[in-house]
Amino acid sequence: AVFVGAANARIYGVGSDGVSLDDIWPGILDTGAGSSPAMLSDGTLLVGTLGAGVYATCPNGVTRYISTTGSSLSSPAVGRLAGVSDEDEDELFVVGGDDGLLRAIREDGILQWSFAFAAPIMAAPVVLLDAATPATIQAVFAVDSTGAVQRLTADGRRAPGFFPPASLGPVLASPALAPHPGGNLRLYVIGFDGSVHAIDADRGDLLWTWEAGVAVESSPAVVVDAAGESAPVLVFGTWGGELLYLRD
């Protein structure tokens, strides 16, 4: 099924046959949805709203809990905690708030940690998963609305050795993370002014900037060569109605 949050304070579900799941959905929110939904492994649906915060809704459409983060335009990113013996309690989601706090919240709704930015966080965070233990969070990347970038450890501390630019300018689009044939992982951030930035995900160095020349609010999709021989290609839309393909 596909789920979408709407401005009329509803969550709608559509089955794989394209038919609306009217027998269970729409789910009811307090205000309009501010983010794209995410889903935990048990089927719990997570949607940020412009009011109370993040709604956790069971697969049957019943609200499980409300995480009172306040207004959130940032979509949740989901991962697992390392070192937790009970697999039923190791999942969490990371979400940004209009209050400038990046929060990691356990699947049962309990706050795990928070990290303060100087401005609202409108873009979804990106979680780097550990290749040795799939789905386990190794690091979290987030960008606030002024373009301040942070790499955090899985327990919410600023990652040592990561020194990004002070600010990239206004950012509404969510960043993207991808490997590069050069051997380093890269974080791609697109500013509202159309500037595209490639950042070394380990050190924070700004590697290059490209100007689209038109406003961009669209989050990039990244096409990666499975063989690892070609550089990633970023695909994103602009306010000018263009769909751009940009190779790193």
Side-chain angles (χ1 to χ4, degrees), residues 193-240:
D193 62 356
S195 55
V196 183
H197 310 280
I199 296 173
D200 186 302
D202 294 320
R203 302 188 306 269
D205 300 336
L206 180 62
L207 302 174
W208 54 259
T209 296
W210 181 83
E211 302 291 343
V214 62
V216 175
E217 194 174 351
S218 164
S219 301
V222 183
V223 181
V224 179
D225 178 13
E229 298 176 355
S230 299
V233 175
L234 279 67
V235 184
F236 57 95
T238 75
W239 273 31

Side-chain angles (χ1 to χ4, degrees), residues 11 14 16 22 42 60 82 93 103 108 143 154 170 174 181 206 220 224:
I11 308 171
V14 180
S16 57
D22 293 333
D42 64 0
N60 62 1
F93 61 93
R103 296 174 174 88
D108 57 6
V143 185
S174 301
L206 180 62
V224 179

Side-chain angles (χ1 to χ4, degrees), residues 20-169:
S20 177
L21 303 176
D22 293 333
D23 55 334
I24 298 176
W25 303 90
I28 308 299
L29 307 171
D30 63 329
T31 58
S35 72
S36 300
M39 185 175 287
L40 298 175
S41 60
D42 64 0
T44 299
L45 195 69
L46 306 168
V47 180
T49 75
L50 302 178
V54 179
Y55 273 66
T57 305
C58 296
N60 62 1
V62 176
T63 299
R64 181 178 173 188
Y65 61 80
I66 304 171
S67 182
T68 53
T69 60
S71 177
S72 177
L73 295 174
S74 168
S75 300
V78 177
R80 291 189 178 277
L81 290 169
V84 178
S85 57
D86 188 345
E87 293 185 359
D88 292 332
E89 296 182 358
D90 67 347
E91 198 166 26
L92 56 71
F93 61 93
V94 185
V95 65
D98 288 2
D99 59 1
L101 286 180
L102 183 72
R103 296 174 174 88
I105 300 170
R106 285 185 358 193
E107 59 185 313
D108 57 6
I110 296 176
L111 179 68
Q112 185 75 19
W113 53 258
S114 64
F115 184 92
F117 282 73
I121 304 168
M122 297 180 172
V126 178
V127 293
L128 173 61
L129 301 180
D130 192 331
T133 53
T136 299
I137 296 175
Q138 180 178 339
V140 179
F141 295 88
V143 185
D144 72 16
S145 60
T146 69
V149 181
Q150 290 289 352
R151 173 176 174 149
L152 306 178
T153 60
D155 57 0
R157 294 175 293 129
R158 186 180 280 109
F162 186 77
F163 303 103
S167 174
L168 299 175

